[in-house]
Every structure is written in C-alpha cells, then in structure tokens.
Amino acid sequence: MKKYHFLFLFFACVNLLFSQGPTFSGIRFSTVWGTEKFELYKKYILKEDTISVSMLKFYISDIVLKKKNTIIYKTEGKSYLMNPEKKLEIDFDQNIAEEADEIDFSVGVDSTTNVSGALGGDLDPMNGMYWSWQSGYVNFKIEGTYRGSAAQKDFQFHIGGYSSLFPTLQTIALPLGKNQKIIYVDVLRFLLQIDLNKIHSIMSPGEKAVILARQFGKVFYTDRK
C-alpha cells in the first residue's frame, strides 16, 4: 500500500512540474485594435468606413530598461522585427522586472545600421524590409484595403529614411509599473490620424514619411499600475 502511495505522489509532482511551464518575466509587445486583439485580414470599422489590414511589420531596436533614469538592462539583440503573427518577447531576470520603472526603445533602424548594408537575422533582406534601390531599411510597413462611401481602395505605407533631412527613426520612452509586462501597439490609434481618402500611398523617404513615422510613434502605450 505504501508503494502505491509513493508512486501516486511521485507522478503528481511530475505532472505539476511540467504543467506549470517556464515563467516569463520579461516584456511582450502586443498589437491591438482599440480594446481588442488585432488580427490581420479582419474587417474593422474606422470612423464610418470598413478597413482590413493585410500587412503590418515594424522594427523595435535598442531596448533599454531604466530605474530612476539609470540603465539597469540593455538587450543583446539590436533590432527585432515584429508583426502580429510573430510575438516579440524579451525575457530577463525577475529582479529587473520588478525594479524597472521605464522602458526606452526605438521604432525603426538607426543610421549606423542602415549604412552597414544588408545584414542577417531580423535584418535579412529576405524579410522584405530592405530597400535595395535606397540602400536602407523600411522602419515599418502597413498595407490593407478600406471601403468608404464611394468605393473600395487599397493603401500602402512603407516608411523609412535615415538622412538628417528626412529622419524617420522614433525614440519612445514609456513608464512601467511593477511587474509590467506588456507594451501595447494600437493600430487603430495610428489609422485614425490618417485621412485615407486623401492619402493612401507613401513608398519612399520624404516629408510625408516623417509625419507618418511620428504618428506611428504615438501608438505605443502601457497600463501602468
């Protein structure tokens, strides 16, 4: 009887160990549409129009965690490519997660990386985020279709540019509450700033690209406790 009791306790402990899984103590970037989870190809209401996003990609670079304006953690990887289908999670020590009160990062790829030519990993041109004709990276892409009162149209915004004349790299600083783990990326907030009836395509660096880059920098937020 004691033998069966021991075996029961043994298997119960093993099951508990594997059911818990690894503990995530880092930062997760999550795309949303207002108060709901964002999905590609899903039809949403934008003002009085119907809109569907077929592509969303952007770079997150140089992630830094701070406590009282002092850097306490910096990621080893420089640039990470994010899209709604590939969640970006940066893991680190639990003590850092509890101590950090601010996260800083860039949206896009800096000028030094741009002039280094095509690289590998998330910066591999095969990811479709490199302009060979421009010899530089696209900081973010968003494409889709919207239907207004008149007709249905496509929109395409490929935003990049690293020159001092038209810089599109955006530096973001957000507050972190204790054990804050999610950075939200609100696609609705970005598209609400654009009149798609007047502008529906930007495919190269310039003044309009800079304006949209600044608008995209406003879509990141946290729920600070």
Side-chain angles (χ1 to χ4, degrees), residues 35-225:
T35 58
E36 62 181 289
K37 178 183 177 182
F38 173 74
E39 298 179 31
L40 292 175
Y41 300 103
K42 181 176 180 179
K43 291 183 179 180
Y44 294 99
I45 300 300
L46 180 67
K47 299 178 182 177
E48 298 180 353
D49 299 338
T50 301
I51 191 168
S52 176
V53 178
S54 57
M55 177 187 290
L56 175 63
K57 293 182 179 181
F58 55 92
Y59 279 109
I60 299 294
S61 305
D62 300 315
I63 301 174
V64 170
L65 295 181
K66 293 182 178 180
K67 179 181 180 181
K68 296 180 179 179
N69 295 320
T70 299
I71 295 176
I72 60 175
Y73 179 84
K74 187 174 183 178
T75 54
E76 295 182 5
K78 185 172 180 62
S79 298
Y80 303 88
L81 181 59
M82 181 177 172
N83 63 66
E85 299 169 327
K86 176 186 175 184
K87 300 302 181 184
L88 175 56
E89 296 181 344
I90 310 299
D91 204 358
F92 41 79
D93 184 83
Q94 180 65 33
N95 292 331
I96 296 176
E98 295 178 351
E99 294 178 7
D101 57 22
E102 180 180 318
I103 180 171
D104 296 357
F105 56 88
S106 296
V107 181
V109 179
D110 64 24
S111 58
T112 301
T113 304
N114 268 284
V115 299
S116 298
L119 303 173
D122 280 5
L123 293 169
D124 192 314
M126 294 297 291
N127 292 315
M129 295 292 284
Y130 187 78
W131 280 321
S132 57
W133 60 272
Q134 183 70 24
S135 297
Y137 285 92
V138 181
N139 290 339
F140 75 90
K141 282 184 178 183
I142 182 168
E143 299 179 2
T145 302
Y146 75 100
R147 179 181 291 276
S149 57
Q152 179 171 303
K153 295 182 179 180
D154 295 331
F155 63 89
Q156 290 182 313
F157 301 120
H158 295 188
I159 305 302
Y162 59 89
S163 71
S164 57
L165 187 60
F166 300 119
T168 56
L169 184 75
Q170 300 297 303
T171 302
I172 311 297
L174 298 174
L176 289 176
K178 188 173 182 180
N179 295 321
Q180 175 70 51
K181 295 183 178 181
I182 302 178
I183 308 298
Y184 295 99
V185 187
D186 191 346
V187 183
L188 171 61
R189 186 179 296 186
F190 173 69
L191 291 173
L192 280 173
Q193 301 175 81
I194 305 171
D195 187 346
L196 293 174
N197 292 305
K198 294 181 179 179
I199 179 171
H200 58 272
S201 180
I202 297 178
M203 305 292 285
S204 61
E207 292 182 3
K208 292 181 180 179
V210 173
I211 292 173
L212 259 66
R214 291 171 179 169
Q215 291 174 341
F216 193 70
K218 300 176 183 178
V219 307
F220 299 84
Y221 69 95
T222 61
D223 283 338
R224 183 173 181 175
K225 303 297 183 182

